[in-house]
Amino acid sequence: MTVQAVMAETSAIEWITDPALVRQRSRDFFWYSPVLKRQLNGVTAEAVACPKDEAEVIAVMAACVKHQVPLTPRGAGTGNYGQAMPLKGGVVLDLMGLNRVVWVKPGVVRAQAGIKLIELDAITRKEVRGELRFHPSTKRTASLGGFIAGGSSGIGSCTYGKLREAGNILGLRVITMEATPRVLELRGAEIDKANHAYGTNGIITELEMPLAPAWDWIDVLAEFPDTIAAARFSEALVASDGIAKKMAGVVAPGVAQSYFKPFMQLVAPGKAAALVMVAEPFLDLLAPLLERFGGRQVYSVPTEQAETPLYEFTWNHTTLQALKVDRSLTYLQTLFPAPHHFELVAKMDALFGDEVMQHLEFVRLGGVVSCFGLQLVRYTTEERLREIIRIHEDAGAPIFNPHAFTLEEGGMKRIDSEQLDFKRVADPHGLLNPGKMIAWDDPDWTPERKRGFYLYGQADAPAVEEVLE
Amino acid sequence: MTVQAVMAETSAIEWITDPALVRQRSRDFFWYSPVLKRQLNGVTAEAVACPKDEAEVIAVMAACVKHQVPLTPRGAGTGNYGQAMPLKGGVVLDLMGLNRVVWVKPGVVRAQAGIKLIELDAITRKEVRGELRFHPSTKRTASLGGFIAGGSSGIGSCTYGKLREAGNILGLRVITMEATPRVLELRGAEIDKANHAYGTNGIITELEMPLAPAWDWIDVLAEFPDTIAAARFSEALVASDGIAKKMAGVVAPGVAQSYFKPFMQLVAPGKAAALVMVAEPFLDLLAPLLERFGGRQVYSVPTEQAETPLYEFTWNHTTLQALKVDRSLTYLQTLFPAPHHFELVAKMDALFGDEVMQHLEFVRLGGVVSCFGLQLVRYTTEERLREIIRIHEDAGAPIFNPHAFTLEEGGMKRIDSEQLDFKRVADPHGLLNPGKMIAWDDPDWTPERKRGFYLYGQADAPAVEEVLE
Ligand SMILES: Cc1cc2nc3c(=O)[nH]c(=O)nc-3n(C[C@H](O)[C@H](O)[C@H](O)COP(=O)(O)OP(=O)(O)OC[C@H]3O[C@@H](n4cnc5c(N)ncnc54)[C@H](O)[C@@H]3O)c2cc1C
Ligand SMILES: Cc1cc2nc3c(=O)[nH]c(=O)nc-3n(C[C@H](O)[C@H](O)[C@H](O)COP(=O)(O)OP(=O)(O)OC[C@H]3O[C@@H](n4cnc5c(N)ncnc54)[C@H](O)[C@@H]3O)c2cc1C
């Protein structure tokens, strides 16, 4: 009954103990993946702590260390790989109560981790006509801390790259998981220690973020003869440094028509579609680009006025929209490296036909316009899914496996020794989100090695509602 | 006495007729080039018109058409290729009297052509915390209209590319050279008709420009073991989409030490130097980059507080600083195309040694980080200069010849049929800045063909003071 002991010591703090509610807050969008769905469905914490400020966060952490209880931080729980799921039970630390802006000045904001991205953007837009450089397509629900700890890039990455690129995060205030928790401020290159670490090596309470100009954005949907034409258009747009833009996604013929409810009728049968966001003063400059690649604009509306913003049909929202129509679908995350990216895309199209439907996002990576795939996959078996992944990788298109819940198997494919070293300092007992950093349990791990893992909860637990809105 | 007739018809307008003053306002920085110096020294107008508003501009233009008098527009006269010099005499139209901001809103400003860049930036910074995306190193003197009509890129092009890239100019108000001048608004792709046309096909009276965030910029000077190390640093910085930056220039060992008065002592003997501008919140992120390339910061000061801003040691100012010390120097303008740019630079260094001293600026071109050279050349003869140019071009490094005063021979190396077509509409009599657009006089011109030209004025006229401040 160690969780009970933690709760007793921090009784001034709001706790959730109702098992159904606790189970709900122990989940995220892991069920996007049929593999994770099988593995993680039974996972649940024993209780959820809901601190209102940093002092309460520290109190819960100290109590958990004292009683050696696992602690898993959570923002809005919109991760796709079970990042926020407490594999070993214990306590979930819900950070949504820390939702204030600390300060804002032109170009930079400092805010608490639990603030919703949409609220943060509204405040910075009003105060200094700024907004986050980029946000996940879950902007309307996700938290700032969850984005940095669990996300990677998104709407705006066509201009600013990924979170991991220097300058996209200016500071992180991190609490260590020690008997007497320390407060650290990570800046500059040190930020990588806790960036995209799934909260395994410290709880982030505040973040300092650079701001981009808050333009009046326009959602534009255009149709093209085929995927490659739409892709060339999006690529050219992203290469246009003079045009202020925030998004350049592409879906293959059939995707918008079958899965994008508001746009089904707008995109002609057999056409591919490009989904872009461009700043209002530059809207007219799309016309010559569209013409060059045989495109035709079918929809254009200010993002703020859209019933559903177009960004909720891009990035991982594309998969969500498709899942609403067909529950048998899942997805991949793929880099199609230049200069042979279009050949690779065409090759995979020829190989897989309708089984793997192209969905591409054009971004900057290390200063280079790059083609990232979040393809929709008609799922049959885990074996076939592994085969599809292998075929992509053999062809030269690395997969960032969204069907794995550890840091190493997903993004990095290797042990991040900087994050491991920092975990030794910031979480010496290994209590933070245990099971997510393979390196902690097995410092000699390589991608070739199989793992066994232990999950808290019942594997045959009934399914919890999978939120599709 | 046709100029007299023009003046008589527009006597309400301020005219300059004093021959010494007229000659001064008929010149620019053409003398950077020993070739142009020989060719253009005698060039002068007969009178200079100084209109205060667009109506006066139109009045002068109409009168010149009526009397078939050549008219050459002029901003601050800081062009390097005699762009604003009246090859066929007639009238110089000084636009510095049109110096108002028409309106400004977040992200966009509309201003008259004669406004000084430094004044424009001060106003937009104050009003909407914006500034021009990029400016020539002559920001403190040059005009907005002169930059667009005669310039190409500059400080900020490491983020936004060249003026010619879509979105970097939003609108141009252009007056046609007709009996009854028309007022045209060029937008979108049409802007290319009058952008960088040396005023040969219309007088620009207003410009609509996108704005970038007005950061607090920091000038940073760093030393490196050699040119390539400094260049790799600058290239990596420009590839860092997360770091807000405005400049990334490089000079070979010896250049800063010999020619940069305020910095001579700061850069150790034998070291190359990088000159960068970075936004204040990102300053700390230079340290890891410097370390990676063996660099050491030797100077760092807010641009606003610098005695002389560091940008006045980059772009064409590097040449100016060198000319102050050694009048025998001149320069090149070179593209070192990726991916073999560093090999090319090293190859040229090996070939020319001290005769051609590297000066590189890293910019974006079409979305790609690119290496542009404005090398210093120890001038001996025109023949040798031609040979140096030829050797570069044969090696695969195209030269944008700064020793030619026509549009075609400088930047484009080919006839721009869009600009020629527009000249047929906007200057049917061929009176605007005559002699600068070869295509007008010889539509079949190719770079192989020699040209003869006629220059108004005395070839053996005494030199006018060459302003070195
Ligand atoms: C439909 C859909 C679309 C999506 N689109 C994108 C996208 O475009 N780009 C993208 O990158 N991601 C995307 N995601 C993934 C996810 O939504 C985002 O990464 C989101 O920002 C996560 O925020 P959250 O508040 O929901 O975090 P959570 O899911 O609650 O947490 C994410 C991770 O961060 C940890 N964490 C949370 N808060 C803290 C803290 N304060 N300190 C330390 N660790 C913490 C958690 O333990 C977990 O490991 C998408 C997901 C869905 C379901
Ligand atoms: C030291 C030095 C550094 C420089 N650095 C740069 C640099 O970094 N980047 C760069 O691009 N250039 C550079 N230049 C070139 C030049 O300074 C710039 O292009 C500058 O912007 C020109 O502005 P101006 O007002 O002096 O124009 P001017 O020299 O007066 O005119 C330039 C051209 O534009 C035409 N023109 C002027 N006004 C109008 C108008 N209203 N309508 C139509 N045509 C018009 C003129 O006829 C002429 O052909 C540099 C020059 C020097 C001497």
Side-chain angles (χ1 to χ4, degrees):
Chain A
M1 302 312 285
T2 47
V3 169
Q4 298 280 319
V6 169
M7 288 172 61
E9 278 194 34
T10 58
S11 58
I13 291 167
E14 187 188 328
W15 283 90
I16 297 173
T17 52
D18 174 79
L21 279 179
V22 171
R23 185 144 178 258
Q24 226 171 54
R25 297 239 187 144
S26 300
R27 302 166 76 81
D28 60 12
F29 284 65
F30 71 103
W31 48 266
Y32 261 47
S33 159
V35 181
L36 297 181
K37 193 165 167 173
R38 173 179 64 72
Q39 293 173 337
L40 301 183
N41 189 45
V43 166
T44 186
E46 292 161 75
V48 178
C50 304
K52 292 274 167 298
D53 55 32
E54 191 181 86
E56 294 192 352
V57 169
I58 291 174
V60 174
M61 293 176 77
C64 282
V65 173
K66 183 166 165 195
H67 300 283
Q68 293 290 299
V69 169
L71 183 71
T72 299
R74 173 190 178 84
T78 67
N80 298 107
Y81 333 125
Q83 291 111 300
M85 294 178 70
L87 301 186
K88 306 210 170 155
V91 169
V92 159
L93 183 71
D94 183 326
L95 284 137
M96 300 303 280
L98 278 75
N99 57 10
R100 283 186 316 106
V101 167
V102 181
W103 51 254
V104 55
K105 62 181 185 183
V108 187
V109 67
R110 190 169 175 104
Q112 290 183 317
I115 195 166
K116 278 193 190 177
L117 298 173
I118 192 162
E119 276 158 23
L120 179 60
D121 264 5
I123 292 169
T124 55
R125 178 176 282 264
K126 183 159 164 283
E127 298 287 329
V128 295
R129 284 192 193 275
E131 64 185 17
L132 288 177
R133 287 173 165 186
F134 48 95
H135 60 76
S137 60
T138 45
K139 171 177 174 173
R140 295 209 279 180
T141 46
S143 73
L144 179 60
F147 181 39
I148 275 62
S152 61
S153 49
I155 292 89
S157 288
C158 60
T159 303
Y160 295 102
K162 302 180 54 145
L163 279 171
R164 196 166 272 272
E165 301 196 29
N168 282 333
I169 306 169
L170 292 172
L172 294 180
R173 186 172 163 102
V174 173
I175 317 293
T176 64
M177 190 73 177
E178 299 176 281
T180 307
R182 283 173 299 149
V183 178
L184 307 178
E185 175 83 11
L186 305 182
R187 300 192 75 86
E190 290 199 315
I191 284 167
D192 282 344
K193 294 177 179 177
N195 177 16
H196 197 77
Y198 293 0
T200 56
N201 59 11
I203 302 293
I204 302 166
T205 54
E206 289 182 9
L207 304 94
E208 205 171 303
M209 302 292 290
L211 298 174
W215 291 101
D216 292 329
W217 297 106
I218 314 288
D219 288 351
V220 176
L221 183 67
E223 62 177 31
F224 290 82
D226 54 45
T227 305
I228 301 294
R232 285 191 195 280
F233 162 82
S234 294
E235 182 178 57
L237 178 61
V238 175
S240 297
D241 287 308
I243 301 180
K245 62 205 117 36
K246 200 159 177 174
M247 191 172 86
V250 168
V251 290
V255 173
Q257 294 88 339
S258 308
Y259 307 127
F260 292 179
K261 282 237 176 71
F263 307 116
M264 293 181 161
Q265 308 298 329
L266 293 179
V267 182
K271 300 276 187 184
L275 299 86
V276 312
M277 278 171 75
V278 66
E280 188 277 327
F282 306 89
L283 184 59
D284 294 345
L285 299 173
L286 290 185
L289 266 185
L290 283 166
E291 201 186 329
R292 196 163 121 212
F293 298 100
R296 197 176 69 86
Q297 183 176 309
V298 298
Y299 168 88
S300 147
V301 90
T303 309
E304 284 297 304
Q305 286 161 36
E307 198 159 332
T308 312
L310 201 58
Y311 65 69
E312 290 190 1
F313 298 82
T314 66
W315 290 84
N316 273 338
H317 260 87
T318 313
T319 318
L320 185 64
Q321 304 294 356
L323 278 166
K324 287 187 198 172
V325 176
D326 181 350
R327 296 303 299 260
S328 78
L329 295 170
T330 189
Y331 71 124
L332 297 176
Q333 297 182 152
T334 313
L335 181 67
F336 292 106
H340 302 297
H341 46 307
F342 291 134
E343 282 163 52
L344 267 171
V345 168
K347 193 171 164 185
M348 294 302 114
D349 275 355
L351 264 179
F352 294 111
D354 226 26
E355 189 182 6
V356 179
M357 293 171 275
Q358 290 302 347
H359 161 209
L360 307 172
E361 298 289 343
F362 285 84
V363 296
R364 301 257 179 178
L365 285 182
V368 178
V369 181
S370 302
C371 177
F372 192 70
L374 295 98
Q375 308 96 308
L376 297 172
V377 177
R378 293 192 198 280
Y379 179 73
T380 47
T381 64
E382 291 192 23
E383 200 187 346
R384 176 61 179 162
L385 186 58
R386 275 195 299 275
E387 191 173 36
I388 293 171
I389 290 175
R390 191 184 45 69
I391 292 171
H392 276 82
E393 299 213 308
D394 288 351
I399 301 271
F400 302 88
N401 191 0
H403 306 284
F405 57 75
T406 60
L407 281 163
E408 288 88 346
E409 290 165 303
M412 301 290 104
K413 300 188 174 186
R414 54 169 188 80
I415 285 181
D416 183 327
S417 54
E418 199 182 353
Q419 294 200 341
L420 175 60
D421 289 347
F422 189 57
K423 188 172 175 76
R424 293 197 178 108
V425 172
D427 181 27
H429 309 281
L431 293 171
L432 281 178
N433 205 353
K436 301 294 169 57
M437 188 192 279
I438 301 179
W440 179 259
D441 303 309
D442 178 2
D444 299 323
W445 177 84
T446 61
E448 291 69 40
R449 190 185 295 207
K450 287 259 178 308
R451 287 171 318 105
F453 48 81
Y454 163 83
L455 300 176
Y456 183 91
Q458 303 156 266
D460 58 350
V464 160
E465 199 201 346
E466 291 155 13
V467 189
L468 285 171
E469 291 311 316
Chain B
M1 303 311 283
T2 47
V3 169
Q4 298 280 319
V6 169
M7 289 172 62
E9 279 195 32
T10 57
S11 57
I13 291 168
E14 186 188 329
W15 283 89
I16 297 173
T17 51
D18 173 81
L21 278 179
V22 170
R23 185 145 177 256
Q24 225 171 53
R25 296 241 186 142
S26 300
R27 300 165 77 81
D28 60 14
F29 284 65
F30 72 103
W31 49 265
Y32 261 47
S33 159
V35 180
L36 297 180
K37 193 164 165 173
R38 173 179 62 73
Q39 292 174 336
L40 302 184
N41 189 45
V43 166
T44 186
E46 292 160 74
V48 178
C50 304
K52 291 274 168 295
D53 56 32
E54 190 180 87
E56 293 192 353
V57 169
I58 291 174
V60 174
M61 292 176 77
C64 282
V65 174
K66 184 166 165 193
H67 299 284
Q68 293 290 299
V69 169
L71 182 73
T72 299
R74 173 191 178 84
T78 67
N80 298 108
Y81 332 124
Q83 291 111 302
M85 295 178 71
L87 301 187
K88 306 210 169 157
V91 169
V92 158
L93 183 70
D94 183 325
L95 285 137
M96 299 304 279
L98 278 73
N99 56 10
R100 283 186 315 107
V101 166
V102 182
W103 52 253
V104 54
K105 62 180 184 183
V108 187
V109 67
R110 191 170 175 102
Q112 289 183 318
I115 194 165
K116 277 194 191 179
L117 298 172
I118 193 163
E119 276 157 24
L120 179 60
D121 265 6
I123 291 170
T124 55
R125 179 176 281 263
K126 184 157 163 284
E127 298 286 329
V128 295
R129 282 191 194 276
E131 63 184 18
L132 288 177
R133 287 174 164 185
F134 48 95
H135 60 76
S137 59
T138 45
K139 171 177 174 174
R140 295 208 279 181
T141 46
S143 73
L144 180 60
F147 182 38
I148 275 60
S152 62
S153 49
I155 291 92
S157 288
C158 59
T159 303
Y160 295 102
K162 302 179 54 145
L163 279 171
R164 194 166 274 271
E165 300 197 29
N168 281 334
I169 306 169
L170 292 171
L172 294 180
R173 187 172 162 102
V174 173
I175 317 292
T176 63
M177 190 72 176
E178 298 176 282
T180 308
R182 284 173 300 149
V183 179
L184 308 178
E185 175 83 11
L186 305 182
R187 300 192 74 86
E190 289 199 317
I191 284 167
D192 282 344
K193 293 177 179 176
N195 177 16
H196 198 79
Y198 293 180
T200 56
N201 59 12
I203 302 293
I204 302 166
T205 54
E206 289 182 11
L207 304 93
E208 205 171 302
M209 302 292 290
L211 297 175
W215 292 101
D216 292 330
W217 297 107
I218 313 288
D219 288 351
V220 176
L221 182 67
E223 62 178 31
F224 290 83
D226 53 46
T227 305
I228 301 294
R232 286 191 194 281
F233 162 82
S234 294
E235 182 178 57
L237 178 62
V238 175
S240 296
D241 287 308
I243 301 179
K245 63 206 114 37
K246 200 158 178 175
M247 191 172 85
V250 168
V251 290
V255 174
Q257 294 88 340
S258 308
Y259 308 127
F260 292 178
K261 282 236 176 73
F263 307 116
M264 292 180 161
Q265 308 297 331
L266 293 178
V267 182
K271 300 275 187 184
L275 299 85
V276 311
M277 280 171 74
V278 65
E280 188 277 328
F282 305 90
L283 183 59
D284 293 347
L285 300 173
L286 289 185
L289 266 184
L290 283 167
E291 201 185 329
R292 195 162 123 213
F293 298 100
R296 196 176 70 85
Q297 183 177 310
V298 298
Y299 167 88
S300 145
V301 92
T303 308
E304 284 297 304
Q305 287 160 36
E307 199 158 333
T308 312
L310 201 57
Y311 65 70
E312 290 190 0
F313 297 82
T314 66
W315 291 84
N316 273 339
H317 260 86
T318 312
T319 318
L320 184 63
Q321 304 294 356
L323 278 166
K324 287 187 200 173
V325 176
D326 181 350
R327 296 302 300 259
S328 78
L329 295 169
T330 188
Y331 71 125
L332 296 176
Q333 298 182 154
T334 313
L335 181 67
F336 292 106
H340 303 297
H341 46 308
F342 291 135
E343 284 162 52
L344 268 171
V345 168
K347 192 171 164 186
M348 294 302 113
D349 276 355
L351 264 178
F352 295 111
D354 226 29
E355 189 183 7
V356 179
M357 293 170 274
Q358 290 301 347
H359 161 210
L360 307 171
E361 299 288 342
F362 285 83
V363 296
R364 301 258 181 177
L365 284 183
V368 178
V369 181
S370 302
C371 178
F372 192 70
L374 294 96
Q375 308 97 308
L376 296 172
V377 176
R378 292 191 199 281
Y379 180 73
T380 47
T381 65
E382 291 192 23
E383 201 184 347
R384 176 62 180 162
L385 187 58
R386 274 195 300 274
E387 191 174 35
I388 293 172
I389 291 176
R390 191 185 44 71
I391 292 172
H392 276 82
E393 299 214 307
D394 288 350
I399 301 270
F400 302 88
N401 191 0
H403 305 284
F405 57 76
T406 60
L407 281 163
E408 289 89 346
E409 290 165 302
M412 301 289 105
K413 298 187 176 187
R414 52 169 190 80
I415 284 181
D416 183 328
S417 55
E418 201 183 351
Q419 294 199 342
L420 176 59
D421 288 347
F422 188 58
K423 187 171 174 79
R424 292 195 178 110
V425 172
D427 181 27
H429 309 282
L431 293 171
L432 281 178
N433 206 353
K436 300 293 170 58
M437 189 190 280
I438 300 179
W440 179 259
D441 302 309
D442 178 2
D444 299 323
W445 177 84
T446 61
E448 292 69 41
R449 191 186 293 207
K450 288 257 179 309
R451 288 172 318 106
F453 48 82
Y454 164 82
L455 300 176
Y456 184 91
Q458 303 156 265
D460 58 351
V464 161
E465 199 201 346
E466 291 155 13
V467 189
L468 284 172
E469 291 310 315

